[in-house]
Amino acid sequence: MRNFASEIRSGLDQALENDPSVLVFGLGVPDPKGVFGTTLDLQEKYGEKRVFDMPTAENAMTGIAIGAALGGFKPVLTHQRLDFALLSMDQLVNNAAKWHFMFGGQRNVPITVRMILGRGWGQGPTHSQNLQSWFAHIPGLKVVMPALASDAKGLLLSSIFDPNPVIFLEHRWLHNAQTDEPETGKLIPLGEANLLRSGDAVTIVSVSYMTIEALHAVDVLQDQGISCDLIDLRTVSPIDWGKIEASVKKTGKLMMLDTGFKTNGFAGEVVARITERCWADLTAPPVRLTAPDYSESTSPALTKDYHIRAEHIAERVGSMLGKDISVEPILKLRGPHDVPGNWFTGPF
């Protein structure tokens, strides 16, 4: 059985094999654990000149990646936490994102920057941030957030071979998610959302790990006679507006799920844009379910009620429809709130 992490590794392997200009580097890339298993054995297969470790100098190494990209390479830079990558915001925002525009499209920066984000297991306020809204706000940066293991490889390959910089965000609770979908090796276009469930009650739009919680919720709702559209965006920038608008015109109701903060966040942008474009079609106020506007605590006791989970999604859908919903089927399957499953023993 393939899983999310093995699909990421397979994507890197395929890119390295097919294109000698692809480079893979980052802190811990050649370590025995291989960044959650996503880079295992790649250095042994492709050598130290194409797959290598880097010092804790994020801004400098991002500058080197940009320079290499301008010189004809396709670097894939990996950060084991999104929080560490914040040291390289100057290079990402002032150089990588701008180059294509500043030189009239004559020069591009084809870099892919993988960042691991997530929550739980005592990661706390400096190791669990979901700042996709920051990156999506910058013109010139594409932002990819896969949710399903079956999408991870195709989205990563599209990111690596995109002519411009891509921020590739992986939720660490997804790395063990499995798939039995056939292996295709095909690229998934960036900006193309995926309709995972179809219904006419409510349009639910989600990204990354929130899609997994949403899948549990819509299946429980389906058992109670409520069918929802569930759209996994897959990319935060660009956004597949056409698919969201078509769904809202059908259901008249929108619920937006995001792993990030609420105020000035990505969920607010989706709600605002759909309100502008589909005002006459809405039959209820749009809803945002996100992280609250304060940082995640390290203590499990303080994070117990911090995150949005499937039962909250199902209950809110019921509220939008004026119906009582039983969430007992979800609660019966609940394990500890701050780990994805009993198999989880640590982030590395």
Side-chain angles (χ1 to χ4, degrees):
M1 181 74 75
R2 301 170 357 256
N3 64 24
F4 190 101
S6 68
E7 287 295 279
I8 294 292
R9 187 203 171 279
S10 179
L12 294 171
D13 190 10
Q14 181 172 320
L16 286 161
E17 183 172 1
N18 293 344
D19 189 337
S21 72
V22 173
L23 307 174
V24 175
F25 62 97
L27 204 62
V29 160
D31 281 357
K33 292 291 187 180
V35 189
F36 300 89
T38 61
T39 58
L40 287 174
D41 304 323
L42 292 177
Q43 187 180 69
E44 288 77 2
K45 188 172 183 180
Y46 295 100
E48 294 181 351
K49 290 185 177 180
R50 296 186 64 198
V51 181
F52 49 92
D53 209 339
M54 76 175 194
T56 50
E58 288 80 359
N59 200 38
M61 293 303 292
T62 305
I64 289 171
I66 293 170
L70 290 169
F73 290 95
K74 297 181 181 67
V76 182
L77 173 58
T78 300
H79 296 281
Q80 298 210 28
R81 289 289 183 280
L82 175 149
D83 317 75
F84 304 162
L86 300 186
L87 291 164
S88 61
M89 286 297 282
D90 173 49
Q91 292 288 2
L92 292 174
V93 175
N94 287 324
N95 292 321
K98 305 291 188 299
W99 215 278
H100 177 82
F101 299 104
M102 288 194 300
F103 297 99
Q106 298 180 59
R107 300 297 299 271
N108 298 74
V109 179
I111 64 170
T112 302
V113 185
R114 296 176 55 211
M115 302 180 190
I116 314 298
L117 48 75
R119 71 192 205 195
W121 208 73
Q123 292 298 287
T126 59
H127 291 72
S128 59
Q129 297 173 95
N130 292 260
L131 301 176
Q132 52 269 23
S133 297
W134 283 30
F135 302 109
H137 181 69
I138 305 300
L141 293 181
K142 294 184 176 71
V143 183
V144 179
M145 297 187 79
L148 304 183
S150 54
D151 287 342
K153 180 177 178 179
L155 289 169
L156 179 61
L157 287 169
S158 286
S159 301
I160 293 172
F161 293 108
D162 190 279
N164 286 300
V166 176
I167 307 298
F168 194 88
L169 303 177
E170 302 165 29
H171 196 293
R172 67 194 177 92
W173 279 21
L174 294 173
H175 280 122
N176 287 283
Q178 297 181 333
T179 179
D180 56 4
E181 294 289 322
E183 165 68 55
T184 66
K186 293 182 178 177
L187 280 63
I188 296 175
L190 304 185
E192 184 177 293
N194 190 14
L195 180 63
L196 296 178
R197 295 286 190 276
S198 184
D200 57 6
V202 175
T203 297
I204 302 175
V205 180
S206 67
V207 292
S208 189
Y209 179 73
M210 287 309 300
T211 296
I212 307 304
E213 295 286 351
L215 281 167
H216 290 301
V218 296
D219 287 346
V220 167
L221 290 166
Q222 180 70 52
D223 292 340
Q224 297 176 56
I226 298 172
S227 300
C228 298
D229 266 3
L230 172 57
I231 298 173
D232 175 26
L233 277 184
R234 301 197 289 201
T235 60
V236 174
S237 178
I239 294 175
D240 190 345
W241 292 114
K243 198 159 288 180
I244 303 175
E245 289 177 24
S247 176
V248 170
K249 289 179 185 296
K250 177 179 67 173
T251 67
K253 298 178 180 63
L254 171 66
M255 174 184 288
M256 181 63 213
L257 308 177
D258 186 20
T259 59
F261 302 125
K262 175 173 283 187
T263 300
N264 297 319
F266 159 64
E269 173 60 29
V270 174
V271 168
R273 188 76 67 96
I274 293 302
T275 302
E276 290 174 346
R277 296 188 181 188
C278 303
W279 175 254
D281 300 294
L282 290 169
T283 58
V287 167
R288 288 176 288 169
L289 295 183
T290 70
D293 288 337
Y294 53 92
S295 297
E296 180 175 348
S297 174
T298 304
S299 164
L302 295 177
T303 58
K304 185 178 180 182
D305 299 316
Y306 182 86
H307 298 292
I308 298 297
R309 307 205 66 167
E311 57 266 32
H312 305 130
I313 298 168
E315 287 171 341
R316 197 59 181 270
V317 168
S319 176
M320 294 174 76
L321 299 173
K323 296 182 178 180
D324 292 328
I325 299 297
S326 171
V327 295
E328 283 302 316
I330 300 172
L331 298 178
K332 285 181 180 177
L333 299 176
R334 270 283 171 258
H337 79 278
D338 62 343
V339 295
N342 293 329
W343 47 265
F344 191 80
T345 57
F348 293 104

XYZ file of all heavy atoms in Angstrom, residues 187-277:
685
model
N 0.912 14.303 -14.103
C 0.867 15.577 -13.400
C -0.583 16.001 -13.183
O -1.436 15.794 -14.058
C 1.603 16.651 -14.203
C 3.133 16.689 -14.108
C 3.776 15.427 -14.646
C 3.664 17.922 -14.810
N -0.867 16.583 -12.017
C -2.186 17.161 -11.736
C -2.060 18.668 -11.907
O -1.224 19.300 -11.242
C -2.646 16.821 -10.307
C -2.830 15.311 -10.159
C -3.947 17.551 -9.972
C -3.177 14.874 -8.738
N -2.851 19.277 -12.781
C -2.710 20.720 -13.026
C -2.873 21.541 -11.752
O -3.793 21.289 -10.960
C -3.830 21.009 -14.030
C -4.151 19.690 -14.651
C -3.912 18.658 -13.591
N -2.010 22.515 -11.550
C -2.156 23.421 -10.411
C -3.343 24.345 -10.674
O -3.507 24.858 -11.784
C -0.880 24.244 -10.219
C 0.413 23.440 -10.037
C 1.585 24.369 -9.725
C 0.268 22.389 -8.943
N -4.163 24.548 -9.657
C -5.345 25.396 -9.826
C -6.601 24.624 -10.175
O -7.634 25.237 -10.442
N -6.523 23.297 -10.141
C -7.693 22.469 -10.457
C -8.157 21.760 -9.190
O -7.478 20.871 -8.676
C -7.354 21.456 -11.543
C -8.554 20.612 -11.989
C -8.189 19.673 -13.130
O -7.900 20.165 -14.237
O -8.170 18.446 -12.906
N -9.331 22.144 -8.676
C -9.867 21.536 -7.461
C -10.460 20.168 -7.767
O -10.670 19.808 -8.929
C -10.918 22.445 -6.838
N -10.746 19.422 -6.693
C -11.247 18.054 -6.837
C -12.577 17.924 -6.093
O -12.630 18.136 -4.882
C -10.219 17.064 -6.265
C -10.548 15.627 -6.593
O -11.394 15.355 -7.457
N -9.885 14.703 -5.926
N -13.636 17.594 -6.813
C -14.945 17.376 -6.189
C -14.981 15.958 -5.634
O -15.087 14.985 -6.379
C -16.065 17.585 -7.211
C -17.497 17.390 -6.695
C -17.836 18.409 -5.611
C -18.494 17.474 -7.847
N -14.893 15.824 -4.296
C -14.782 14.512 -3.668
C -16.130 13.892 -3.335
O -16.262 12.665 -3.279
C -13.948 14.624 -2.379
C -12.495 15.050 -2.544
C -11.814 15.170 -1.187
C -11.752 14.064 -3.425
N -17.122 14.705 -3.029
C -18.473 14.228 -2.749
C -19.451 15.177 -3.431
O -19.193 16.369 -3.559
C -18.757 14.202 -1.242
C -17.917 13.234 -0.445
C -18.360 11.780 -0.685
N -17.702 10.877 0.262
C -16.479 10.372 0.090
N -15.797 10.698 -1.004
N -15.967 9.545 0.993
N -20.589 14.638 -3.847
C -21.564 15.455 -4.554
C -22.900 15.456 -3.822
O -23.366 14.413 -3.363
C -21.742 14.917 -5.986
O -22.608 15.741 -6.722
N -23.493 16.642 -3.697
C -24.798 16.777 -3.049
C -25.365 18.150 -3.304
O -24.748 18.981 -3.982
N -26.559 18.423 -2.751
C -27.203 19.704 -3.021
C -27.530 20.502 -1.757
O -28.210 21.516 -1.816
C -28.486 19.492 -3.839
C -29.471 18.553 -3.129
O -29.209 18.172 -1.976
O -30.479 18.203 -3.750
N -27.038 20.042 -0.587
C -27.401 20.716 0.667
C -26.490 21.904 0.962
O -26.963 23.027 1.189
C -27.366 19.721 1.825
N -25.199 21.681 0.984
C -24.216 22.716 1.336
C -22.948 22.472 0.507
O -22.581 21.313 0.273
C -23.861 22.683 2.843
C -22.754 23.683 3.159
C -25.090 22.954 3.698
N -22.298 23.549 0.083
C -20.974 23.456 -0.539
C -19.922 23.589 0.545
O -19.850 24.617 1.230
C -20.771 24.566 -1.585
O -21.720 24.410 -2.630
C -19.362 24.523 -2.155
N -19.127 22.546 0.737
C -18.027 22.583 1.700
C -16.720 22.637 0.918
O -16.449 21.760 0.096
C -18.042 21.352 2.625
C -19.373 21.267 3.385
C -16.875 21.402 3.604
C -19.514 20.007 4.230
N -15.925 23.674 1.164
C -14.636 23.851 0.484
C -13.538 23.701 1.526
O -13.603 24.330 2.594
C -14.541 25.232 -0.190
C -13.197 25.390 -0.902
C -15.694 25.433 -1.174
N -12.532 22.877 1.240
C -11.502 22.622 2.247
C -10.139 22.477 1.592
O -10.032 22.368 0.372
C -11.826 21.340 3.027
O -11.733 20.223 2.169
N -9.106 22.491 2.420
C -7.733 22.260 1.968
C -7.005 21.390 2.987
O -7.384 21.320 4.153
C -6.933 23.577 1.801
C -7.472 24.401 0.656
C -6.906 24.373 3.092
N -5.961 20.716 2.496
C -5.035 19.987 3.350
C -5.765 19.060 4.331
O -6.761 18.424 3.967
C -4.124 20.984 4.079
O -3.076 20.334 4.755
N -5.303 18.987 5.577
C -5.857 18.027 6.522
C -7.338 18.253 6.810
O -8.064 17.312 7.147
C -5.061 18.055 7.834
C -5.632 17.093 8.848
C -5.461 15.718 8.690
C -6.386 17.564 9.910
C -6.022 14.837 9.595
C -6.944 16.681 10.822
C -6.765 15.327 10.661
O -7.335 14.442 11.548
N -7.817 19.478 6.649
C -9.240 19.729 6.905
C -10.126 18.921 5.960
O -11.285 18.619 6.276
C -9.553 21.219 6.777
C -9.034 22.074 7.937
S -9.487 21.467 9.578
C -11.275 21.513 9.487
N -9.590 18.564 4.803
C -10.360 17.728 3.872
C -10.637 16.355 4.481
O -11.705 15.771 4.261
C -9.591 17.584 2.544
O -9.488 18.873 1.937
C -10.301 16.638 1.594
N -9.696 15.828 5.253
C -9.891 14.516 5.888
C -11.012 14.602 6.926
O -11.901 13.739 6.978
C -8.583 14.033 6.550
C -7.434 14.065 5.529
C -8.766 12.641 7.128
C -7.676 13.276 4.262
N -10.977 15.665 7.744
C -12.064 15.844 8.720
C -13.394 16.026 7.999
O -14.431 15.507 8.423
C -11.760 17.060 9.611
C -10.523 16.915 10.497
C -10.744 15.967 11.677
O -11.900 15.557 11.910
O -9.739 15.630 12.355
N -13.371 16.758 6.886
C -14.610 17.003 6.134
C -15.170 15.712 5.541
O -16.390 15.520 5.500
C -14.347 18.027 5.035
N -14.279 14.830 5.086
C -14.756 13.551 4.533
C -15.515 12.749 5.586
O -16.569 12.167 5.296
C -13.562 12.736 4.015
C -13.009 13.147 2.650
C -11.662 12.490 2.390
C -13.995 12.778 1.538
N -15.008 12.710 6.825
C -15.719 12.015 7.902
C -17.081 12.669 8.137
O -18.099 11.989 8.306
C -14.896 12.060 9.186
C -13.655 11.223 9.150
N -13.670 9.867 8.929
C -12.354 11.551 9.289
C -12.436 9.389 8.938
N -11.612 10.396 9.159
N -17.108 13.992 8.125
C -18.351 14.713 8.410
C -19.406 14.468 7.326
O -20.564 14.172 7.640
C -18.057 16.214 8.538
N -19.013 14.587 6.055
C -20.029 14.465 4.989
C -20.544 13.033 4.895
O -21.706 12.824 4.517
C -19.467 14.930 3.625
C -19.120 16.400 3.658
C -18.279 14.095 3.189
N -19.728 12.051 5.250
C -20.218 10.674 5.215
C -21.238 10.432 6.319
O -22.239 9.726 6.116
C -19.043 9.695 5.331
C -18.210 9.644 4.052
O -18.691 10.143 3.009
O -17.070 9.126 4.096
N -21.007 11.010 7.497
C -21.992 10.892 8.586
C -23.265 11.660 8.221
O -24.381 11.194 8.481
C -21.379 11.423 9.900
C -22.454 11.606 10.961
C -20.310 10.456 10.399
N -23.121 12.815 7.610
C -24.295 13.578 7.166
C -25.078 12.800 6.105
O -26.320 12.798 6.118
C -23.850 14.935 6.609
C -23.320 15.938 7.637
C -22.595 17.097 6.934
C -24.464 16.476 8.491
N -24.370 12.152 5.210
C -25.021 11.359 4.162
C -25.889 10.266 4.779
O -27.005 10.003 4.319
C -23.960 10.745 3.254
C -24.510 9.884 2.117
C -25.218 10.713 1.058
O -24.655 11.678 0.548
N -26.454 10.346 0.743
N -25.393 9.643 5.839
C -26.168 8.591 6.511
C -27.439 9.145 7.141
O -28.371 8.376 7.434
C -25.312 7.921 7.586
C -24.166 7.106 6.989
O -24.251 6.754 5.792
O -23.186 6.844 7.710
N -27.478 10.465 7.367
C -28.659 11.092 7.962
C -29.466 11.858 6.909
O -30.262 12.748 7.245
C -28.226 12.015 9.111
C -27.547 11.234 10.229
C -27.014 12.110 11.359
O -27.783 12.881 11.953
N -25.730 11.989 11.654
N -29.226 11.543 5.639
C -30.051 12.083 4.569
C -29.646 13.449 4.051
O -30.411 14.104 3.342
N -28.424 13.895 4.397
C -27.952 15.221 3.954
C -26.733 15.025 3.046
O -25.702 14.514 3.496
C -27.582 16.101 5.153
C -28.809 16.336 6.027
C -26.981 17.433 4.693
C -28.500 17.025 7.340
N -26.874 15.427 1.796
C -25.780 15.264 0.833
C -25.113 16.615 0.562
O -25.800 17.591 0.239
C -26.307 14.673 -0.479
O -26.887 13.420 -0.256
N -23.818 16.660 0.677
C -23.070 17.911 0.477
C -22.073 17.768 -0.665
O -21.525 16.688 -0.894
C -22.300 18.287 1.752
S -23.355 18.609 3.184
N -21.828 18.875 -1.357
C -20.661 18.955 -2.230
C -19.442 19.154 -1.350
O -19.440 20.047 -0.484
C -20.783 20.158 -3.183
C -21.396 19.783 -4.529
O -21.782 18.602 -4.697
O -21.490 20.660 -5.393
N -18.399 18.355 -1.546
C -17.130 18.580 -0.848
C -16.057 18.804 -1.894
O -15.764 17.918 -2.701
C -16.760 17.381 0.034
C -15.352 17.442 0.670
C -15.173 18.702 1.503
C -15.084 16.178 1.490
N -15.483 20.005 -1.884
C -14.452 20.384 -2.855
C -13.119 20.517 -2.145
O -12.963 21.349 -1.244
C -14.816 21.726 -3.539
C -16.136 21.592 -4.305
C -13.696 22.164 -4.470
C -16.656 22.905 -4.864
N -12.165 19.675 -2.538
C -10.787 19.803 -2.039
C -10.049 20.725 -3.001
O -9.793 20.365 -4.156
C -10.134 18.424 -1.981
C -8.670 18.501 -1.577
O -8.301 19.474 -0.887
O -7.902 17.595 -1.963
N -9.658 21.901 -2.528
C -9.074 22.891 -3.438
C -7.741 22.449 -4.034
O -7.404 22.781 -5.153
C -8.885 24.229 -2.708
C -10.111 25.124 -2.638
C -9.740 26.446 -1.986
C -10.703 25.378 -4.016
N -6.932 21.769 -3.256
C -5.589 21.289 -3.650
C -4.586 22.423 -3.856
O -3.419 22.262 -3.542
C -5.652 20.396 -4.900
C -6.535 19.181 -4.717
C -6.296 18.108 -5.753
N -6.757 18.455 -7.077
C -7.018 17.557 -8.021
N -6.837 16.271 -7.762
N -7.439 17.919 -9.208
N -4.996 23.544 -4.433
C -4.101 24.701 -4.514
C -4.809 25.918 -3.953
O -5.967 26.186 -4.262
C -3.646 24.994 -5.957
O -4.773 25.255 -6.772
C -2.890 23.819 -6.533
N -4.109 26.637 -3.090
C -4.622 27.864 -2.478
C -4.400 29.053 -3.399
O -5.124 30.045 -3.355
C -3.933 28.087 -1.110
C -4.321 29.411 -0.495
C -4.275 26.933 -0.167
N -3.386 28.976 -4.225
C -3.130 29.989 -5.250
C -2.465 29.319 -6.445
O -1.371 28.767 -6.293
C -2.246 31.105 -4.702
O -1.972 32.057 -5.702
N -3.122 29.280 -7.630
C -4.431 29.878 -7.926
C -5.584 29.025 -7.389
O -5.401 27.844 -7.093
C -4.431 29.894 -9.454
C -3.584 28.722 -9.840
C -2.504 28.647 -8.813
N -6.743 29.650 -7.278
C -7.949 28.986 -6.762
C -8.876 28.645 -7.927
O -9.028 29.432 -8.861
C -8.671 29.909 -5.751
C -7.806 30.104 -4.501
C -10.036 29.334 -5.374
C -8.377 31.089 -3.511
N -9.483 27.500 -7.850
C -10.436 27.048 -8.859
C -11.801 27.684 -8.580
O -12.729 27.045 -8.095
C -10.527 25.517 -8.823
C -11.315 24.954 -9.999
O -12.015 25.734 -10.670
O -11.235 23.736 -10.232
N -11.919 28.961 -8.896
C -13.156 29.692 -8.585
C -14.356 29.107 -9.331
O -15.475 29.091 -8.815
C -13.003 31.171 -8.936
C -12.038 31.889 -8.060
C -10.843 32.430 -8.412
C -12.173 32.149 -6.645
N -10.217 33.001 -7.324
C -11.006 32.843 -6.236
C -13.153 31.838 -5.702
C -10.814 33.246 -4.920
C -12.960 32.241 -4.381
C -11.804 32.935 -4.006
N -14.127 28.659 -10.551
C -15.233 28.138 -11.350
C -15.934 26.972 -10.682
O -17.173 26.898 -10.678
N -15.157 26.072 -10.085
C -15.769 24.901 -9.441
C -16.538 25.298 -8.188
O -17.617 24.746 -7.915
C -14.673 23.885 -9.111
C -15.197 22.483 -8.854
C -14.109 21.438 -9.040
C -13.765 21.258 -10.509
N -12.722 20.264 -10.780
N -16.018 26.260 -7.428
C -16.730 26.699 -6.217
C -18.021 27.412 -6.603
O -19.090 27.158 -6.034
C -15.843 27.638 -5.373
C -14.530 26.967 -4.996
C -16.586 28.068 -4.113
C -13.553 27.892 -4.271
N -17.940 28.303 -7.575
C -19.125 29.066 -7.977
C -20.218 28.149 -8.514
O -21.400 28.323 -8.192
C -18.734 30.094 -9.037
C -17.896 31.229 -8.495
C -17.470 32.205 -9.579
O -18.160 32.273 -10.616
O -16.463 32.879 -9.381
N -19.851 27.183 -9.333
C -20.857 26.262 -9.881
C -21.548 25.499 -8.762
O -22.778 25.283 -8.804
C -20.181 25.294 -10.851
N -20.793 25.122 -7.739
C -21.382 24.375 -6.626
C -22.311 25.265 -5.802
O -23.421 24.855 -5.433
C -20.270 23.805 -5.743
O -20.819 23.155 -4.616
N -21.874 26.495 -5.493
C -22.697 27.396 -4.680
C -23.988 27.769 -5.420
O -25.051 27.915 -4.811
C -21.888 28.667 -4.309
C -22.788 29.722 -3.680
C -20.753 28.306 -3.352
N -23.909 27.903 -6.728
C -25.129 28.183 -7.501
C -26.119 27.023 -7.383
O -27.322 27.198 -7.525
C -24.766 28.421 -8.976
C -24.047 29.740 -9.225
C -23.694 29.914 -10.687
C -22.863 31.176 -10.897
N -23.598 32.398 -10.551
N -25.596 25.817 -7.114
C -26.473 24.648 -6.949
C -27.031 24.547 -5.533
O -28.218 24.295 -5.341
C -25.695 23.375 -7.293
C -26.468 22.087 -7.093
C -25.651 20.870 -7.484
C -24.467 20.654 -6.572
N -23.755 19.378 -6.838
N -26.150 24.751 -4.527
C -26.568 24.518 -3.135
C -27.098 25.765 -2.443
O -27.912 25.679 -1.524
C -25.387 23.984 -2.311
O -24.387 25.008 -2.199
C -24.763 22.750 -2.970
N -26.583 26.946 -2.817
C -26.980 28.194 -2.156
C -26.304 28.423 -0.820
O -26.579 29.412 -0.146
N -25.428 27.530 -0.415
C -24.782 27.644 0.899
C -23.307 27.290 0.787
O -22.944 26.345 0.093
C -25.461 26.733 1.923
C -26.931 27.080 2.187
C -27.561 26.111 3.166
C -29.021 26.475 3.413
N -29.843 26.364 2.195
N -22.476 28.037 1.527
C -21.032 27.837 1.475
C -20.453 27.705 2.872
O -20.696 28.541 3.742
C -20.352 29.028 0.767
C -18.810 29.062 0.833
C -18.206 27.886 0.070
C -18.291 30.391 0.289
N -19.669 26.651 3.083
C -18.862 26.506 4.301
C -17.407 26.379 3.872
O -17.059 25.546 3.058
C -19.277 25.270 5.098
C -18.353 25.002 6.296
S -18.756 23.480 7.190
C -20.274 24.009 7.994
N -16.548 27.218 4.431
C -15.122 27.220 4.089
C -14.317 26.708 5.273
O -14.460 27.193 6.399
C -14.689 28.647 3.716
C -13.225 28.754 3.324
S -12.835 27.819 1.852
C -11.150 27.328 2.223
N -13.459 25.718 5.028
C -12.620 25.126 6.073
C -11.158 25.440 5.792
O -10.693 25.294 4.661
C -12.801 23.599 6.108
C -14.229 23.075 6.186
C -14.227 21.548 6.128
C -14.918 23.556 7.457
N -10.440 25.852 6.820
C -9.022 26.159 6.648
C -8.272 25.782 7.916
O -8.813 25.875 9.023
C -8.848 27.657 6.344
C -7.401 28.018 6.007
O -6.629 27.106 5.644
O -7.044 29.205 6.118
N -7.017 25.367 7.766
C -6.184 25.053 8.928
C -5.565 26.305 9.536
O -4.980 26.234 10.611
C -5.041 24.102 8.523
O -4.257 24.738 7.508
C -5.569 22.771 8.004
N -5.667 27.442 8.856
C -5.054 28.682 9.316
C -5.969 29.499 10.219
O -7.096 29.107 10.539
N -5.457 30.673 10.603
C -6.225 31.575 11.452
C -7.390 32.199 10.679
O -7.371 32.247 9.442
C -5.326 32.692 11.995
C -4.144 32.187 12.782
C -2.848 32.559 12.445
C -4.325 31.330 13.865
C -1.758 32.094 13.161
C -3.237 30.860 14.597
C -1.947 31.244 14.235
N -8.391 32.713 11.430
C -9.589 33.240 10.778
C -9.390 34.660 10.245
O -9.613 34.914 9.057
C -10.768 33.231 11.760
C -12.028 33.882 11.195
C -13.223 33.703 12.107
C -13.780 32.293 11.998
N -15.035 32.117 12.738
N -8.945 35.576 11.085
C -8.897 36.980 10.680
C -7.843 37.218 9.601
O -6.691 36.827 9.742
C -8.598 37.867 11.904
O -9.634 37.677 12.872
C -8.549 39.335 11.499
N -8.267 37.852 8.512
C -7.401 38.130 7.359
C -6.850 36.863 6.718
O -5.790 36.892 6.077
C -6.233 39.053 7.749
C -6.714 40.416 8.210
O -7.626 40.968 7.618
N -6.109 40.938 9.259
N -7.560 35.783 6.878
C -7.062 34.513 6.370
C -7.626 34.146 5.013
O -8.483 34.835 4.439
N -7.167 33.020 4.524
C -7.552 32.509 3.218
C -9.056 32.175 3.166
O -9.725 32.406 2.148
C -6.690 31.276 2.947
C -7.218 30.329 1.942
C -7.369 30.707 0.624
C -7.575 29.048 2.300
C -7.847 29.827 -0.322
C -8.067 28.175 1.368
C -8.205 28.554 0.065
N -9.610 31.660 4.252
C -11.040 31.336 4.270
C -11.880 32.592 4.060
O -12.899 32.568 3.359
C -11.412 30.669 5.598
N -11.449 33.688 4.655
C -12.168 34.946 4.478
C -12.154 35.406 3.031
O -13.137 35.974 2.520
N -11.051 35.169 2.329
C -10.949 35.549 0.921
C -11.951 34.766 0.075
O -12.625 35.334 -0.801
C -9.524 35.298 0.418
C -9.327 35.484 -1.081
C -9.657 36.902 -1.538
O -9.505 37.831 -0.725
O -10.086 37.043 -2.704
N -12.063 33.469 0.340
C -13.014 32.647 -0.425
C -14.450 33.107 -0.159
O -15.247 33.274 -1.092
C -12.848 31.157 -0.065
C -13.935 30.321 -0.736
C -11.466 30.659 -0.486
N -14.773 33.342 1.110
C -16.127 33.791 1.444
C -16.424 35.146 0.782
O -17.494 35.358 0.211
C -16.291 33.889 2.978
C -17.568 34.630 3.336
C -16.292 32.493 3.590
N -15.453 36.056 0.831
C -15.673 37.384 0.244
C -15.872 37.292 -1.270
O -16.798 37.909 -1.824
C -14.481 38.288 0.561
N -15.025 36.546 -1.940
C -15.107 36.460 -3.405
C -16.412 35.791 -3.847
O -17.055 36.242 -4.789
C -13.905 35.669 -3.937
C -13.761 35.675 -5.450
C -13.216 37.007 -5.928
N -11.850 37.201 -5.474
C -10.764 36.912 -6.222
N -10.921 36.427 -7.432
N -9.553 37.146 -5.752
N -16.823 34.739 -3.155
C -18.063 34.060 -3.535
C -19.267 34.937 -3.209
O -20.260 34.955 -3.946
C -18.155 32.696 -2.813
C -17.066 31.763 -3.352
C -19.530 32.083 -3.009
C -17.124 31.503 -4.851
N -19.189 35.702 -2.120
C -20.282 36.633 -1.807
C -20.420 37.688 -2.898
O -21.527 38.057 -3.296
C -20.017 37.300 -0.445
O -19.905 36.285 0.562
C -21.147 38.247 -0.082
N -19.287 38.176 -3.418
C -19.321 39.161 -4.504
C -19.922 38.581 -5.779
O -20.707 39.226 -6.473
C -17.895 39.653 -4.801
C -17.297 40.521 -3.709
C -15.840 40.848 -3.981
O -15.221 40.194 -4.853
O -15.315 41.750 -3.316
N -19.545 37.356 -6.087
C -19.912 36.781 -7.386
C -21.241 36.018 -7.355
O -21.872 35.840 -8.392
C -18.809 35.832 -7.855
C -17.477 36.510 -8.120
C -16.520 35.535 -8.770
N -15.219 36.152 -9.009
C -14.246 35.567 -9.697
N -14.438 34.377 -10.221
N -13.092 36.166 -9.873
